[in-house]
């Protein structure tokens, strides 16, 4: 498939400079692009790659001056335009049309138009699949669950009963939606199961990576808001709500009943305790353990960066001596004050 | 299904106050319950919700006084009674009776009475399934593995060969039991596989969440004790033993050959090195890295809570200056002692 | 199957001492071995077990003297010889020969000689399977993907399109290879998907544990080098390269575009940010957050060990007072210098 630069620019709503008849047939990075490729420069620190690139067209910031003659797409947000152009050239894997005779459908299953339901798919009673839905092999969709138009479900996904999946959702392999929340009442030494009868709601335009687990609510729903993107191996416990357009990076864990706002970013491997609220637009650094609520617009970190192991060992050994060290400094200050060598009056002893 | 309060009380072994003929048809939280619902109050901090609730019956502590007139179940442990009542009203998803012709059974497979074996289930040679076992689609059960009476296995579970699953076990989707332990011998730069020929034993009444991985032992068994509950994405390495009634929360990892006692709680994302022993009734906080053994009844933490990122950055920068800071305080103390401004004699310099 | 010690020694390239006609039919640990078993001693700290063992033959270091008479295999690297001997006695689970009629093959699929393709396997168009490949049930292999000779794929694995798997690779259950990398461009509040059209290359002799996720590259490949062994639940993001013979322990996460060298060991639950380089032969301790590049031969740690919770609480409370404590020590030093009690000149204030 080849498109002219002129045509691409029109489709993505950009202006262009140079030869609009240049034919582009794919995407490549600046370093390896050939004349048939379109590339992009979003980060000024890579600007030297521009001069060396053989790309037929390059998406650049409309503010970029002092560039060699050539063919460019001019964008306020070059990375976003790159995403749109990539989507133009993207050719999804084809899957067989229709409902495979090697799929198993229980009674009262409804399937919309232009679906692709593969062999080894299992649709339980009352499941309702919308239009233009693609379901790869080895997917289980439980009773009364709903899958919205345009959704794509990769192999080996489990969607339990009473789950609502919105439109244009993408669910990667081995993900589990609607497993029982982790709920037990202890009596003596034993733990008694609390049935988890709530639902899961995955709103439109969500993408869930591979190996994600999202538990159903105890009585009510666990909910992932519109446009949120979960990376691989994220864990969402029962009764959690995540707002729209949030980014949950790989291996994050969110404990039960916590509420994550809109446009929140939680970086990889972070963990949140239960029953807290994280305000809109908060950013949480990687490997951070969040133990309390934070208001909107917070920037939070608990990440301790790794160091050379000898330095790390020395630092950790010192760490456990720190409470005692504070006492020693208290004593030193007291001595100096008693000797008149230091002003009396409180020194700051509280947390910085 | 509707049950009278009188009948419910009898079934769960409680006394009641108020109108025993009140008909209850389901469970709801205090805030949203209607007259047909039963609700509960376990945590006194929510007591105000009692007054406002429209629930037909509420499970409360038998010690609770000063409540408005109404219908109550009186419990020593209200949360436990709530679990039992929930189980009374729980209506499990129905699955097809018998053995699906779209399941594949190798030779010498034995299946008990009243089982539900779904399409796309694969049972390898010599697998033995007890009575009243439910196996959802896309489950693999390996050679000579045993599944005890009343067990429930959700879709996309893998149970490898020579695994023993007890009675009334629940296994959630994408969980893997009996994968090879991670065992290699290094010679030069290369790593040579040590075949993992041991078993896995999952005792009665265990529940394993979604995406759990439990490796088979090298020569002997990996074992999960009776009544233990693993949350999603827990990882159990080869040759580990976990005692009865323990709680392993989401994303915990336990390295090879460690022994976890009975009634141990390990909170989310914690990691344990190999070859250690954690005594009975120990509680490990979330996000804790446990690097040595601890005796029974220990309470352990390694969690560093996240803070505002500016404060965090300042704190981390200070952290690596700490060994040097101790030296500086040592010097200050020496100076004051030499000048006779401070008592000679050792100051506490060891770990607090 | 029984082999004489003489025969075993010949097969693994060792010398032996004692009765070469001793028949061995299996492996066992020193403590439980009987006369028909072979065992090993690799760690001198367990030497006392030698004397008590009833094993018919024991693999020991050729440097070990002062041992009781008996039959021994003498090895420079006993643990490695133990691996080779284990492999001799290992009897893999048998799987049905040939291509099951209950597998589904799209058009243009090629399958080599002596394969075992189970029921419920799905092979998409153009998939090419080599010789002596075993594919367990519920495996999906995508369009144009290649699986090399001698590879073993356990149940419920997903291999997406355009993935190359080398020879003698072992892939454990629920693992996903070739899921979309996590790539989005933000415009306003919304996140626009960047199609991930790159590949994944898994080189020869790699082993991937259960529940591993390896994302495909954005435009180019994500690559795992020859002989590398990934433990369960490791996450490899898009565009990552891992060199040969590396060990990635359970639940490790490596962010996008990072480059891991050869013979690197990354211990459990560690996390690496994106776009960094970890040099050959580096060792990273468990639970470490690596935020920058390190050269070859580095030893790195960020692990904070858990302690008794009271001590931990006191230490953490002190931690956030540390920046202020440094200021207080600065002040004390200044006072002593101003009073002539301490030498002027800079004290070390930088990171240790």
């Amino acid at each position: 498939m080849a498109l002219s630069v002129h045509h691409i620019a029109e489709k993505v709503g950009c202006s262009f400079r140079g030869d609009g008849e240049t034919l582009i047939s794919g995407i490549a990075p600046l370093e390896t692009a050939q004349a048939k490729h379109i590339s992009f420069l979003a980060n000024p620190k890579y600007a030297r790659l521009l001069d060396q690139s053989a790309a037929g067209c390059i998406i650049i910031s409309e503010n970029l001056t002092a560039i060699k003659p050539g063919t460019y797409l001019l964008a306020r947000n070059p990375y976003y335009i790159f995403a749109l152009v990539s989507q133009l050239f993207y050719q999804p894997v084809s899957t067989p049309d229709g409902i495979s005779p090697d799929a198993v459908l229980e009674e009262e299953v409804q399937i919309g138009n232009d679906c692709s339901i593969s062999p080894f798919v299992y649709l339980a009673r009352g499941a309702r699949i919308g239009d233009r839905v693609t379901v790869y092999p080895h997917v289980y969709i439980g009773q009364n669950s709903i899958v919205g138009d345009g959704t794509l479900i990769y192999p080996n996904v489990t969607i339990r009963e009473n789950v609502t999946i919105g439109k244009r959702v993408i669910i990667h392999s081995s993900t589990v939606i609607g497993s029982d929340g982790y709920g037990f009442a202890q009596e003596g030494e034993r733990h008694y199961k609390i049935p988890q009868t709530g639902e899961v709601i995955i709103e439109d335009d969500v993408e869930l990576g591979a190996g994600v687990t999202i538990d159903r609510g105890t009585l009510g729903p666990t909910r992932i808001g519109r446009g949120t993107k979960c990376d691989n191996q994220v864990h969402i416990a029962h009764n959690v709500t995540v707002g729209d357009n949030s980014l949950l990076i790989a291996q994050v864990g969110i404990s039960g009943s916590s509420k994550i706002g809109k446009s929140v970013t939680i970086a990889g491997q972070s963990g949140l305790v239960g029953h807290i609220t994280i305000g809109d637009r908060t950013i949480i650094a990687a490997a951070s353990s969040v133990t309390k609520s934070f208001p909107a617009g917070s920037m939070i970190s608990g990440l301790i960066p790794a160091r050379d192991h000898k330095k790390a060992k020395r630092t950790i050994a010192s760490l456990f001596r720190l409470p005692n060290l504070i006492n020693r400094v208290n004593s030193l200050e007291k001595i100096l004050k008693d000797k008149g060598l230091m002003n009396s009056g409180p020194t700051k002893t509280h947390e910085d």
Side-chain angles (χ1 to χ4, degrees), chain A residues 9 14-15 37 59 75 87 114 126 151 156 182 212 228 236 253 271 277 297 345-346:
Chain A
C14 276
S15 59
H37 291 126
I59 304 163
Q87 289 177 15
D114 302 319
T151 281
N156 285 304
Y182 188 77
V212 169
T228 280
I236 306 282
T277 299

Side-chain angles (χ1 to χ4, degrees), chain A residues 3-26:
Chain A
L3 300 171
S4 67
V5 165
H6 169 258
H7 188 184
I8 295 169
E10 195 177 302
K11 274 189 165 289
V12 302
C14 276
S15 59
F16 70 90
R17 182 187 309 163
D19 181 5
E21 298 309 309
T22 306
L23 278 181
I24 299 297
S25 59

Side-chain angles (χ1 to χ4, degrees), chain A residues 111-123:
Chain A
I111 299 184
N113 300 316
D114 302 319
C115 287
S116 170
I117 308 295
S118 286
F120 309 137
V121 168
Y122 191 101
L123 304 180

Side-chain angles (χ1 to χ4, degrees), chain A residues 224-264:
Chain A
I224 308 293
R226 166 192 294 257
T228 280
K229 315 293 181 185
C230 286
D231 199 352
N232 298 353
Q233 299 189 38
V234 165
H235 165 64
I236 306 282
H238 56 179
N239 310 309
V240 164
T241 304
V242 179
D244 299 350
N245 295 315
S246 286
L247 300 176
L248 308 187
I249 314 303
Q251 298 175 322
V252 156
I254 302 181
S255 305
S257 301
S258 280
K259 297 191 188 323
I260 311 300
K262 302 182 179 193
S263 300
V264 169

Side-chain angles (χ1 to χ4, degrees), chain A residues 21-299:
Chain A
E21 298 309 309
T22 306
L23 278 181
I24 299 297
S25 59
I27 326 254
L30 282 169
E31 308 97 295
T32 58
Q34 301 162 42
K36 62 180 178 173
H37 291 126
I38 185 166
S39 195
F40 76 101
L41 178 74
N43 188 336
K45 100 175 163 184
Y46 297 115
R48 52 176 176 69
L49 294 176
L50 252 184
D51 295 330
Q52 302 156 17
S53 182
C57 176
I58 305 175
I59 304 163
I60 58 173
S61 165
E62 56 200 9
N63 295 327
L64 203 63
T65 53
I67 52 176
K68 70 177 187 185
T71 302
Y72 300 93
L73 239 58
L74 306 175
R76 187 182 37 74
N77 183 345
Y79 198 48
Y80 164 61
I81 296 303
F82 169 69
L84 296 186
V85 172
S86 292
Q87 289 177 15
L88 268 184
F89 284 99
Y90 179 59
Q91 297 185 297
V93 163
S94 60
T95 52
D97 289 335
I99 304 170
S100 167
D102 294 316
V104 168
L105 279 57
E106 288 188 1
E107 59 275 16
E108 294 171 46
V109 167
Q110 297 178 31
I111 299 184
N113 300 316
D114 302 319
C115 287
S116 170
I117 308 295
S118 286
F120 309 137
V121 168
Y122 191 101
L123 304 180
R125 178 174 14 125
R128 286 188 287 151
I129 313 297
D131 300 329
R132 302 177 309 285
V133 171
T134 300
V135 184
Y136 274 75
H138 314 114
V139 171
Y140 174 89
I141 298 180
Q143 287 187 16
N144 301 319
S145 286
I146 298 170
V147 177
D149 302 339
T151 281
L152 168 57
I153 305 176
Y154 281 106
N156 285 304
V157 165
T158 300
I159 296 172
R160 287 264 309 270
E161 67 282 6
N162 297 323
V163 169
T164 302
I165 307 284
K167 300 177 180 172
R168 302 173 301 275
V169 170
I170 301 173
I171 305 173
H172 290 282
S173 291
S174 283
T175 278
V176 181
I177 305 175
S179 32
D180 291 359
Y182 188 77
F184 302 94
Q186 184 165 356
E187 169 69 8
E189 292 306 308
R190 298 178 61 177
H191 306 288
Y192 293 83
K193 184 172 177 70
I194 294 166
Q196 305 289 303
T197 57
E199 319 85 52
V200 182
I201 300 170
I202 308 293
E203 295 187 4
D204 297 346
D205 300 304
V206 164
E207 183 159 353
L208 303 176
V212 169
T213 56
I214 301 179
D215 285 345
R216 64 197 315 110
T218 315
L219 293 168
T222 301
R223 178 187 291 267
I224 308 293
R226 166 192 294 257
T228 280
K229 315 293 181 185
C230 286
D231 199 352
N232 298 353
Q233 299 189 38
V234 165
H235 165 64
I236 306 282
H238 56 179
N239 310 309
V240 164
T241 304
V242 179
D244 299 350
N245 295 315
S246 286
L247 300 176
L248 308 187
I249 314 303
Q251 298 175 322
V252 156
I254 302 181
S255 305
S257 301
S258 280
K259 297 191 188 323
I260 311 300
K262 302 182 179 193
S263 300
V264 169
T265 299
I266 306 180
Q269 293 190 341
S270 284
L272 280 61
V273 299
H275 298 274
I276 60 175
T277 299
I278 301 297
D280 298 347
R281 302 179 317 283
T282 289
I283 300 176
I284 300 177
S288 298
S289 300
V290 185
T291 56
K292 59 174 189 156
S293 297
F294 282 86
S298 296
M299 293 185 62

Side-chain angles (χ1 to χ4, degrees), chain A residues 305-321:
Chain A
R307 283 284 187 279
D308 164 76
H309 83 296
K310 284 195 185 122
K311 169 173 291 182
K313 189 170 174 179
R314 207 160 42 233
T315 303
I316 297 311
S318 305
L319 177 61
F320 293 106
R321 297 171 60 183

